Amino acid sequence: MSAEVHVAPSADAPLVWIEVAIRGGAAADPFGLEGLHRHAALLARRGAGGRDRAAFDDALDRMGAAIDVGVGRDSTTMSAVTLTRNLDDVVALCADVLAAPGFAEVEHERLRRETPQVLDEIRDDDGSLVTRWFDRECAPGHAYGRTSLGTEASLPRLELALARETWRREVVPDNLVIGVAGDVDEARARSIAARLTERLATGPAPTPPEVGGSDPTAGRRVVLVDKAERTQAQLRLGHLGPRFGDPDTAALVLLETGFGGMFSSRLMQEIRVRRGWSYGAGCVLRRSRGRHWLEIWMATGIDVAGDAVKTTLELYADVAARGLDAEETALARSYVVGSMPFHNATARQRMQLAVRDAVYGLPAGYTAGLPAHVAELGPTDVARAAARWLRPDAVVTVAVATAATARVALEGAGAGPVSVVAHDGY
Amino acid sequence: MLAAPDGLVLEAESRIGRALVARRWRLANGLGVIVVVDRAAPIVSYQTWYRVGSRHEQPGKTGLAHLFEHLMFAQTETLAPGEFDRVVERTGGESNAATWVDWTQYRLSLPAAELALAVRLESERMSRLLLTAATVEPERDVVTNERRERVEDDVDGWLDEQLMSIAFDVHPYRWPTIGWMADIRSVTLDDIRAFYRSWYAPNNATLVVAGDVDELALLAMVRDAYGALPAVELPPGPTTVEPPQTAERVKRARRPIASDRVLCGWKVVGQGHPDWAALELLTTLLAGSPSSRLHRRLVIELELASSVDVQLTPFRDPSLLRVAVTCARGHRAEESLAEIDRVIGELADGGADDAEVQKAKNLTETDFWSALVDVDGKAEALGHHETALGDFRTLGELAERLAAVTAADLRRVVREYLVPRTRTVIVAEPDGSEPADGDGGDGDGDGDGDDDADGDGDDDADGDGDDGGHRGDQG
């Protein structure tokens, strides 16, 4: 076996995008070592191929190119963009990151000092903060609840040798998905993929982490993340849902769209248009390799936060019991089918869709082909999937708000018992 | 050269991207139409740019342009409430809008086969919008929630709002695009109707259409749908000239944050000025990449900050070159400000060498092409240049202007613009922290703990002026 390669040529602009997904990601961080994959990836980018961090950055920036690394739930990703005229030199730098990262002690120590500050920035931003807490609380113990950034407790435990070993073990050709898009032809793209992997050690791809999870248990609850001086409550409601790629996915995409995926959807109409409670409101079925969240989002004034949660839970119970009506289903179906050209309009989008499908373990073309399945579904299919997967009795609500003003309202929302936590407690 | 259809005049054309051409046509009523035929995908971006933004508002009625933008999705003579979005979404398309200081923009992204729908919807609401209390009041609540989310509860939005309101004394850029909360709550239905009648007319708009379209067929549709709309006598635009700033301005305040935040801005020229290209390269050189001077000094070498960002706000009138810093744990704003001064001093004294200038040019070139990859990006870039600068061809000229910048130009603009007397500094300090300046006050000198220097309750959400649209997308 070797790396899986996806190519999407386009001569529209003198740019080439490269994406290398390394299967694993934050879900593969060991318990107690949250943040390990991020730490390893950032270190790999900070000096490689015999260049220290400054020399590496100078070489890359001189060409007007960029190489970024990021950690998702299911993969670590290295992404690059370059002007076509500098492609060969940028590929060489990308290959250095993969095959010959420096993992310098000085950068390891610097990163250990930096990461807690990123945590501070998340705490300063209510939207990021509510997501961090919701991920933790939605399905305790689930691998996707593990923070990719790490925690105050886990960060000091991230050792350099562990990061280096993680990179060495996971960056093997069999564990990579490579995408190349833009101003290249198929043959050149494949030669780029070959150059990216030719110096890598061969070995078996690591066993991917378990990302199943059991069905949610009955009982609603609220986690109120107490932060001072809030005028709003940032809200997330949800529970563990199915895997993207489950046989019910097409029906649930239809439900997601009709309930909270369009401006005309039920949530947006009831929460924003009719009541003016929030600038936006919607729901999302998180796309991942394993079972992930069904999640509702909005941000309301604190004075209406309780009413908004109560109304949302009623709407959710209704859609769980009855699905969408015929008109909603028709609109959502038409939207999903018609919107696909916007998701794969550019070469880069087509490449990224293909890479994502591969990382999720889906058949080639799965996402692009989903609208064809959606087109065949009706209200009965949606209702059946809703009955199977939606659990209004098990909704977890997370609110970032000032507890002194929000607690009473949330206690009366019918969302279950309220526990208050400090905003910087995680 | 295409032959002009009846009723339209071809005014200008320019290359965009590697192989595409943008043409500007005009109807007799003044409506401009810029078309880029791009057959890369079976979609079309149909954008309507109005030459009205928050700079055209009056004190006491701030936020009107933005609130009005929300109402453009509500109801028309032939579209019931909610129908606009339903008919767009039925095609798989999206609609959104944005308001900024110099313009308001409405965008429809539709399958190419639905081009006629775009023409019908946008021509309808250009002249036949229904404005009633029933549509205004819920949307007013939505906008107040938008403001809470983007400003009151967001430290970056708060910093931006403070910077603009303190840096500008008289120019309308001093108030926020989203408007002061008190104004959002008090604007009347009559104000809204008057605003619509005054500014929403074919002679104050440009259509920008990019995508898989037949240009002549499109132009015929546009002529048929818009041709009968009357031009109006537009109100005089604002002519206020901001007087030169003669001394540095500093404000400090406490916020519920983890570490000090700094946002400072120097007065610089508007986007159409010849010095703009050199200033744009300067922002890249300062913080546009991992090896840039401020990033390397503040974040990597001295670890004074966890992030630094530099932006040149692309306004029509003189605006700001802004530096935003999030201080590292245990470090104060003063340390970062001192280091920023040092880096600027080095640039003013020694300048940058040719290699560093070329690096900035290469990075800017990558950004330039990246912004034009899809049809929305192409339409947006053309629409902004046409509306804010008066001619879409300035987009193509920008590449030439950037290429012509020299190391001497960079040194000159640093010396000319990045001087202390034109700078405004806003510092947010964590609640409960030791005061760095010894007074521990809220910075506006009145000791009341609020953040409102001029007492009018003013604000600008994210400093890019763009309020982000009417849909409330997130998640």
Side-chain angles (χ1 to χ4, degrees):
Chain A
M1 279 186 62
S2 60
E4 188 173 334
V5 181
H6 298 273
V7 182
S10 167
D12 287 350
L15 293 176
V16 178
W17 291 268
I18 298 169
E19 193 155 311
V20 180
I22 305 154
R23 293 183 178 93
D29 283 345
F31 281 108
L33 293 172
E34 292 83 4
L36 175 61
H37 279 78
R38 176 182 180 274
H39 195 81
L42 288 178
L43 282 183
R45 167 63 182 79
R46 294 183 176 189
R51 293 180 171 94
D52 67 10
R53 181 183 185 180
F56 189 92
D57 287 343
D58 285 338
L60 187 65
D61 292 352
R62 203 162 42 235
M63 295 184 279
I67 298 176
D68 295 308
V69 292
V71 175
R73 295 172 291 273
D74 296 313
S75 66
T76 299
T77 303
M78 181 187 72
S79 307
V81 59
T82 177
L83 295 160
T84 313
R85 63 175 182 264
N86 297 322
L87 177 58
D88 286 337
D89 290 337
V90 172
V91 169
L93 291 175
C94 288
D96 284 343
V97 172
L98 294 171
F103 283 102
E105 178 75 31
V106 64
E107 294 300 337
H108 166 65
E109 292 300 333
R110 196 195 316 270
L111 186 54
R112 276 157 63 121
R113 293 189 294 273
E114 281 178 19
T115 303
Q117 296 165 36
V118 180
L119 191 48
D120 286 346
E121 293 191 35
I122 287 173
R123 290 167 176 162
D124 284 351
D125 178 76
D126 293 1
S128 302
L129 184 63
V130 74
T131 297
R132 179 176 167 87
W133 277 94
F134 183 79
D135 285 347
R136 174 180 137 136
E137 296 293 333
C138 184
H142 194 284
Y144 291 153
R146 238 166 285 166
T147 160
S148 62
L149 182 65
T151 67
E152 301 273 9
S154 72
L155 293 173
R157 300 190 198 110
L158 303 181
E159 298 295 339
L160 180 60
L162 196 55
R164 188 188 292 119
E165 169 56 21
T166 300
W167 193 258
R168 190 199 60 75
R169 186 179 65 249
E170 296 191 356
V171 185
V172 294
D174 286 1
N175 200 38
L176 304 186
V177 182
I178 297 175
V180 182
D183 193 17
V184 289
D185 58 24
E186 178 90 18
R188 191 173 186 196
R190 296 211 170 265
S191 80
I192 289 168
R195 286 179 61 199
L196 291 173
T197 55
E198 66 189 1
R199 286 187 285 147
L200 298 180
T202 55
T207 304
E210 170 59 39
V211 286
S214 50
D215 290 337
T217 52
R220 294 173 176 173
R221 62 194 175 92
V222 180
V223 178
L224 173 52
V225 181
D226 185 20
K227 187 173 173 184
E229 300 173 42
R230 300 301 86 195
T231 69
Q232 279 196 319
Q234 278 280 354
L235 296 165
R236 298 289 183 273
L237 302 88
H239 56 72
L240 187 64
R243 174 180 66 88
F244 187 66
D246 181 277
D248 280 330
T249 297
L252 287 168
V253 165
L254 204 45
L255 184 142
E256 169 198 49
T257 303
F259 186 62
M262 302 180 292
F263 197 84
S264 304
S265 66
R266 201 184 292 186
L267 268 176
M268 192 68 114
Q269 292 297 309
E270 293 295 329
I271 299 297
R272 171 177 158 151
V273 176
R274 272 190 65 189
R275 297 176 173 86
W277 280 344
S278 175
Y279 178 44
C283 76
V284 62
L285 166 67
R286 293 270 200 103
R287 273 77 166 153
S288 299
R289 184 175 65 83
R291 294 186 61 176
H292 206 172
W293 323 147
L294 278 162
E295 182 176 341
I296 295 169
W297 53 267
M298 66 189 69
T300 72
I302 284 185
D303 55 331
V304 297
D307 291 336
V309 169
K310 185 177 179 189
T311 300
T312 300
L313 289 169
E314 289 168 357
L315 292 168
Y316 194 59
D318 184 71
V319 79
R322 280 183 276 279
L324 302 173
D325 65 29
E327 190 179 340
E328 286 175 316
T329 304
L331 179 58
R333 188 172 52 222
S334 184
Y335 177 79
V336 171
V337 172
S339 65
M340 184 44 72
F342 299 96
H343 299 306
N344 58 15
T346 68
R348 188 185 185 201
Q349 286 175 310
R350 291 190 288 278
M351 176 269 280
Q352 289 179 323
L353 274 182
V355 169
R356 195 185 72 172
D357 281 352
V359 168
Y360 294 170
L362 299 169
Y366 177 86
T367 302
L370 207 49
H373 297 294
V374 167
E376 297 171 354
L377 302 178
T380 307
D381 303 295
V382 175
R384 195 179 300 125
R388 190 171 298 144
W389 293 105
L390 271 54
R391 292 289 306 276
D393 63 323
V395 168
V396 175
T397 300
V398 174
V400 171
T402 303
T405 51
R407 179 169 191 155
V408 172
L410 290 171
E411 284 175 340
V418 176
S419 56
V420 179
V421 296
H423 85 285
D424 56 357
Y426 170 60
Chain B
M1 178 73 72
L2 280 181
D6 288 346
L8 284 138
V9 174
L10 177 60
E11 288 187 337
E13 68 178 34
S14 174
R15 215 171 82 165
I16 176 170
R18 271 179 157 172
L20 303 178
V21 174
R23 295 187 188 86
R24 184 180 61 219
W25 305 80
R26 194 162 309 274
L27 281 170
N29 61 12
L31 179 70
V33 188
I34 296 173
V35 185
V36 180
V37 178
D38 180 353
R39 303 199 186 283
I43 58 175
V44 61
S45 182
Y46 190 102
Q47 302 188 358
T48 308
W49 291 70
Y50 290 93
R51 288 180 284 277
V52 60
S54 56
R55 74 198 301 269
H56 299 87
E57 297 164 345
Q58 299 296 319
K61 299 190 188 302
T62 65
L64 187 50
H66 170 250
L67 175 60
F68 183 79
E69 171 225 296
H70 281 235
L71 297 171
M72 279 282 276
F73 294 84
Q75 187 178 2
T76 72
E77 291 175 9
T78 66
L79 294 165
E83 193 176 350
F84 186 100
D85 285 302
R86 278 197 300 277
V87 297
V88 169
E89 289 173 342
R90 191 169 292 130
T91 71
E94 304 266 2
S95 65
N96 213 328
T99 309
W100 208 5
V101 291
D102 298 319
W103 45 251
T104 306
Q105 169 230 66
Y106 300 85
R107 51 187 184 272
L108 291 173
S109 301
L110 293 173
E114 301 290 348
L115 180 62
L117 176 65
V119 175
R120 177 170 75 84
L121 292 175
E122 291 296 359
S123 61
E124 167 87 8
R125 64 179 175 174
M126 182 179 279
S127 64
R128 294 192 287 279
L129 191 68
L130 290 184
L131 295 163
T132 66
T135 55
V136 169
E137 294 313 317
E139 212 56 39
R140 192 195 304 273
D141 289 340
V142 169
V143 173
T144 60
N145 272 311
E146 181 183 355
R147 193 192 141 80
R148 288 186 186 117
E149 189 168 346
R150 290 170 180 262
V151 183
E152 268 83 357
D153 285 4
D154 183 86
V155 65
D156 294 314
W158 178 88
L159 283 164
D160 283 325
E161 180 168 289
Q162 294 300 309
L163 177 67
M164 299 303 282
S165 67
I166 295 173
F168 289 93
D169 289 326
V170 299
H171 195 283
Y173 290 164
R174 73 184 187 276
W175 59 73
T177 298
I178 199 168
W180 303 125
M181 190 67 98
D183 293 350
I184 296 168
R185 288 184 169 135
S186 66
V187 67
T188 68
L189 184 57
D190 285 344
D191 294 331
I192 291 166
R193 286 174 171 158
F195 185 86
Y196 182 48
R197 285 193 301 270
S198 297
W199 297 106
Y200 279 68
N203 56 319
N204 199 39
T206 302
L207 309 181
V208 186
V209 184
D212 186 9
V213 299
D214 177 321
E215 186 164 6
L216 293 179
L218 162 68
L219 292 168
M221 278 191 270
V222 167
R223 179 196 57 206
D224 294 346
Y226 293 87
L229 302 183
V232 302
E233 186 174 343
L234 297 167
T239 55
T240 309
V241 176
E242 180 71 17
Q245 185 172 331
T246 56
E248 184 174 57
R249 301 168 184 181
V250 180
K251 171 167 179 167
R252 298 176 177 283
R254 299 297 174 78
R255 307 299 292 176
I257 51 177
S259 59
D260 283 7
R261 299 283 187 109
V262 180
L263 181 63
C264 57
W266 286 264
K267 293 272 173 55
V268 294
V269 294
Q271 194 178 6
H273 192 278
D275 283 344
W276 181 265
L279 288 163
E280 186 157 320
L281 283 184
L282 177 62
T283 65
T284 302
L285 190 148
L286 284 171
S289 70
S291 70
S292 59
R293 290 198 180 207
L294 279 178
H295 180 84
R296 182 164 277 175
R297 187 75 62 83
L298 293 178
V299 177
I300 300 175
E301 292 176 355
L302 300 178
E303 298 184 45
L304 297 177
S306 57
S307 68
V308 59
D309 182 50
V310 179
Q311 287 188 4
L312 193 57
T313 47
F315 291 178
R316 175 182 148 162
D317 289 346
S319 62
L320 298 177
L321 186 148
R322 306 142 59 97
V323 177
V325 178
T326 300
C327 295
R329 284 182 180 181
H331 291 281
R332 303 308 302 263
E334 282 59 38
E335 298 173 80
S336 288
L337 284 165
E339 207 54 41
I340 290 169
D341 287 343
R342 215 162 280 137
V343 168
I344 289 170
E346 290 163 6
L347 277 171
D349 294 340
D353 62 24
D354 290 342
E356 193 174 8
V357 175
Q358 188 57 48
K359 176 183 77 173
K361 288 181 179 179
N362 288 341
L363 288 162
T364 306
E365 184 181 353
T366 302
D367 289 344
F368 177 83
W369 285 108
S370 297
L372 300 179
V373 163
D374 61 24
V375 290
D376 285 333
K378 291 183 181 87
E380 182 142 354
L382 291 167
H384 172 80
H385 279 256
E386 175 74 10
T387 309
L389 305 182
D391 192 339
F392 72 97
R393 289 173 292 186
T394 55
L395 174 65
E397 293 162 9
L398 182 60
E400 295 165 22
R401 289 164 61 193
L402 287 166
V405 174
T406 65
D409 294 328
L410 277 176
R411 190 174 174 192
R412 179 181 59 76
V413 296
V414 170
R415 288 179 167 182
E416 184 170 345
Y417 296 107
L418 301 195
V419 294
R421 69 175 167 74
T422 72
R423 184 167 73 169
T424 301
V425 180
I426 312 297
V427 177
E429 299 167 333
D431 285 339
S433 62
E434 289 295 318
D437 62 350
D439 67 18
D442 58 29
D444 59 4
D446 58 8
D448 63 5
D450 73 22
D451 310 314
D452 180 6
D454 55 4
D456 63 4
D458 194 332
D459 54 311
D460 174 10
D462 53 7
D464 63 9
D466 179 346
D467 79 278
H470 83 293
R471 293 180 61 92
D473 296 335
Q474 57 169 285

